[in-house]
Amino acid sequence: MELRSLAHRASRILGAAALALTAALAGAAPAHADFGTDYHDPLTAAKPLTRPDTRSCTVEVMYDQPFRNGYGNPADTPYNATLTPPAACAGPWSMVVLDLHGAVAGRQFDRLFSARIGGVEVLLSSTPEPSKDGIEWRVEHDVTRYAPLLGGPQPFSFDLANVVDDTYTGVFTVSASLTFYTASARWPAARTADRVLTTGAFGLTQAAPASSAELSFPANLERLTAEVYARGGGACEEFAYASAPDAFVAGNPGLGLCGKGPFRELTLSIDGRTAGAVWPYPVIYTGGWDPLLWRPTPGIFAFDLPAYTLDLTPYVGLLVDGRPHTVGIAVNEAEKQSNDLWSGQVNLFATVDRGSARTSGALTDRAVADHAAVTTALADHGAGSGDWQVTAARHDLARGWVQTSHGRITTEVRADLAFGSGQQLRDSGNDLTLHNTADLTRTVATWGGGPHRTTTTHESEPLDVRYLVTHDAAGSTDQRTTMDLGYHRDTTEATGAHVTARSTVDHVLRPTAHRVDGAATVRSGGSYEDYRAGGSDGPSYHRTITTLDGWPTSDNLTQG
């Protein structure tokens, strides 16, 4: 994250609220001023990885590495090493897991970091903000899908740009290891792609909203999927989901609001032709809005940002001609403020037809919009108050076939995506109500060379925010923030009319924060988190955690 004061961060979220937030947050910026000198290590109700019980080997690639200054000369990031898969646990593997352990004490912002293997991004994450006495945290990340990279030694890179000075004293100390789990009858070798390609890191700004790279694909390519790591950064783009329409910003120039509206999409293209789009989840890091909201429970995906998946198999017939092809990424909007950009990386997973030296095919149907259809309804009430409703929709279809050694395989990919944002701004930003939701349905169907197979994934991503600052006659400031974040996913696999597998995730997080400055001082925060997961391939999981002022007050787990 950029180096900035908490007050400045909040001002960029809400613009006009800066007047109220400056006094409230600037004085509370040191972590230890909130809950004494310590609070509980970060914890979450989210389900941990289910690891095989097979023989395993762990390779340590980084141990207690300090990150102090990412901008010095020389900088201490990225940390580079060589990852050598263990000969004692040779592949193919049932699972490969990247484990991180971090520690930090003092005063520090949340910082973004990433891990790469062989130049391929395999993790995008962020750090917690520390207490004075110090906290520790752990991240586990399934990297099995990157197994094609692990046939031999590979460069390992870990990038965490931190700043330490007289004010921001926290040094992040991080260890990283990979555990390789062998296969067994109960835990068979994971099915992965044959090759992993990458476009390399990208950075998209208002001045340069697109990036591309040329890639060559295997001549016997049969299936292709892409994943997009992406995050908005900077004074405005980190909080794009709360931005105002440009017309309201122009009509209220004194408020310093962020513009371009609350909707962002990143489109993926092949040879200049839009092939799909991802709508990033509104990830809120541990310093977002009010740090009291996230102590000790981080926001959804804050420690393990999503990699958004797109199935590109309908386009395979265009890519097996032996020539390089251009893969591009672009953002629909970006603010022009200091450090505002969308950054990340595109990885592609290529599965080949081992029964032939060359495949052929064709893209037969394509109805993929270059941009989502966006509507904005705005009511500017004057005096720093307004209401707006922003909607976006996308209904895409791509269909193509590939001639393989086991027959002609046709793949159809559909995406039906809907977004809505309603915001009410009052009292020059001191009173804000935000209601966002995204409903995303993606369907992949294949036929030929076997029965008709369909996988449908529906995701729902609600976000509600209530923010209110009031002042009394004595000059005291009362600030209250409440949120309701959610992530819900339902995936169904079917063969013909018969459902063969189903999995669900329901994740809800409701944090609150309350600050009072004046004759009295209040620093209080709490949260309720509920995580449920189930499916046909394993037992159900349900955990709830309640916290108050930095410590858990209840923790209930049910598995069945």
Side-chain angles (χ1 to χ4, degrees):
M1 305 293 170
E2 310 79 50
L3 178 62
R4 60 210 188 277
S5 72
L6 294 176
H8 178 67
R9 174 186 302 164
S11 74
R12 284 303 184 187
I13 302 170
L14 302 174
L19 297 177
L21 290 178
T22 297
L25 293 188
H32 54 272
D34 297 323
F35 299 136
T37 63
D38 199 16
Y39 51 84
H40 196 279
D41 291 342
L43 80 165
T44 176
K47 183 180 179 180
L49 294 176
T50 301
R51 305 195 185 208
D53 58 5
T54 61
R55 183 170 54 88
S56 64
C57 301
T58 298
V59 177
E60 189 171 70
V61 289
M62 186 171 71
Y63 179 73
D64 281 355
Q65 179 65 27
F67 293 90
R68 295 184 175 87
N69 191 346
Y71 305 97
N73 187 17
D76 63 7
T77 192
Y79 171 84
N80 295 306
T82 298
L83 168 62
T84 301
C89 293
W93 304 285
S94 57
M95 193 176 195
V96 183
V97 177
L98 170 64
D99 285 293
L100 301 178
H101 172 263
V104 61
R107 184 184 190 187
Q108 194 52 263
F109 286 131
D110 48 346
R111 306 289 181 182
L112 199 78
F113 65 87
S114 62
R116 289 179 170 84
I117 298 174
V120 174
E121 186 157 28
V122 301
L123 172 70
L124 183 59
S125 184
S126 69
T127 67
E129 293 195 347
S131 67
K132 182 179 180 180
D133 288 354
I135 57 172
E136 300 182 24
W137 83 102
R138 297 180 183 275
V139 175
E140 58 172 8
H141 185 64
D142 187 347
V143 295
T144 311
R145 62 187 180 276
Y146 305 104
L149 298 171
L150 302 174
Q154 288 280 3
F156 174 86
S157 175
F158 189 92
D159 194 357
L160 195 168
N162 191 25
V163 173
V164 173
D165 55 26
D166 291 341
T167 302
Y168 302 100
T169 60
V171 176
F172 294 103
T173 302
V174 185
S175 298
S177 65
L178 285 93
T179 301
F180 297 77
Y181 295 88
T182 59
S184 68
R186 181 168 177 258
W187 294 95
R191 298 179 61 182
T192 68
D194 297 292
R195 286 184 58 188
V196 181
L197 304 92
T198 183
T199 62
F202 64 77
L204 311 177
T205 66
Q206 188 181 101
S211 176
S212 63
E214 284 197 344
L215 298 174
S216 295
F217 296 90
N220 58 344
L221 183 64
E222 180 176 338
R223 188 153 185 254
L224 183 68
T225 61
E227 68 176 9
V228 180
Y229 285 100
R231 52 84 61 168
C236 284
E237 287 309 294
E238 182 178 330
F239 310 98
Y241 54 86
S243 293
D246 279 346
F248 188 79
V249 175
N252 297 268
L255 299 185
L257 292 169
C258 295
K260 303 302 176 186
F263 173 68
R264 298 291 184 273
E265 75 169 357
L266 282 80
T267 52
L268 191 70
S269 63
I270 297 175
D271 294 332
R273 183 182 319 190
T274 302
V278 297
W279 293 2
Y281 185 87
V283 178
I284 304 175
Y285 307 107
T286 55
W289 293 76
D290 188 326
L292 297 180
L293 295 164
W294 319 113
R295 295 175 178 159
T297 303
I300 295 175
F301 296 128
F303 286 177
D304 195 349
L305 275 71
Y308 307 97
T309 302
L310 294 173
D311 195 313
L312 303 177
T313 306
Y315 300 89
V316 164
L318 306 176
L319 304 175
V320 291
D321 56 6
R323 296 194 294 265
H325 292 269
T326 301
V327 177
I329 188 79
V331 66
N332 67 322
E333 297 282 8
E335 258 283 27
K336 189 178 181 181
Q337 300 285 348
S338 175
N339 296 325
D340 272 312
L341 83 163
W342 283 85
S343 60
Q345 193 159 339
V346 179
N347 300 326
L348 297 110
F349 299 84
T351 301
V352 302
D353 177 11
R354 297 182 180 275
S356 65
R358 180 174 295 276
T359 56
S360 61
L363 175 68
T364 57
D365 295 277
R366 175 183 169 273
V368 180
D370 289 336
H371 306 284
V374 181
T375 65
T376 300
L378 169 64
D380 189 339
H381 306 304
S385 294
D387 303 300
W388 52 88
Q389 295 280 339
V390 177
T391 65
R394 176 180 280 277
H395 303 282
D396 296 336
L397 166 69
R399 185 186 301 118
W401 57 266
V402 182
Q403 189 67 43
T404 73
S405 61
H406 42 277
R408 175 174 290 194
I409 310 298
T410 299
T411 300
E412 178 183 277
V413 177
R414 292 180 178 270
D416 295 288
L417 317 180
F419 169 85
S421 175
Q423 297 188 48
Q424 296 179 344
L425 192 68
R426 299 288 185 272
D427 189 21
S428 297
N430 291 312
D431 185 343
L432 172 73
T433 301
L434 166 70
H435 174 71
N436 285 3
T437 186
D439 288 291
L440 318 174
T441 300
R442 300 182 187 273
T443 302
V444 178
T446 61
W447 58 91
H452 190 288
R453 299 170 298 279
T454 305
T455 300
T456 301
T457 299
H458 175 254
E459 296 170 291
S460 176
E461 301 173 348
L463 169 63
D464 291 280
V465 180
R466 183 74 178 97
Y467 172 84
L468 180 64
V469 176
T470 59
H471 308 273
D472 63 19
S476 295
T477 299
D478 188 304
Q479 174 189 313
R480 298 174 186 267
T481 309
T482 61
M483 289 192 176
D484 195 332
L485 301 84
Y487 176 74
H488 311 280
R489 186 183 71 238
D490 188 318
T491 300
T492 302
E493 299 178 17
T495 300
H498 178 61
V499 174
T500 56
R502 185 183 182 193
S503 63
T504 61
V505 170
D506 291 289
H507 193 179
V508 173
L509 176 59
R510 300 187 181 101
T512 64
H514 183 204
R515 295 176 183 268
V516 176
D517 286 288
T521 299
V522 174
R523 299 286 187 270
S524 184
S527 67
Y528 170 78
E529 185 181 24
D530 188 311
Y531 188 98
R532 300 170 186 258
S536 53
D537 60 347
S540 61
Y541 175 97
H542 182 202
R543 186 179 181 184
T544 61
I545 298 176
T546 304
T547 69
L548 180 63
D549 292 346
W551 298 95
T553 57
S554 68
D555 188 345
N556 300 296
L557 172 63
T558 303
Q559 299 186 82

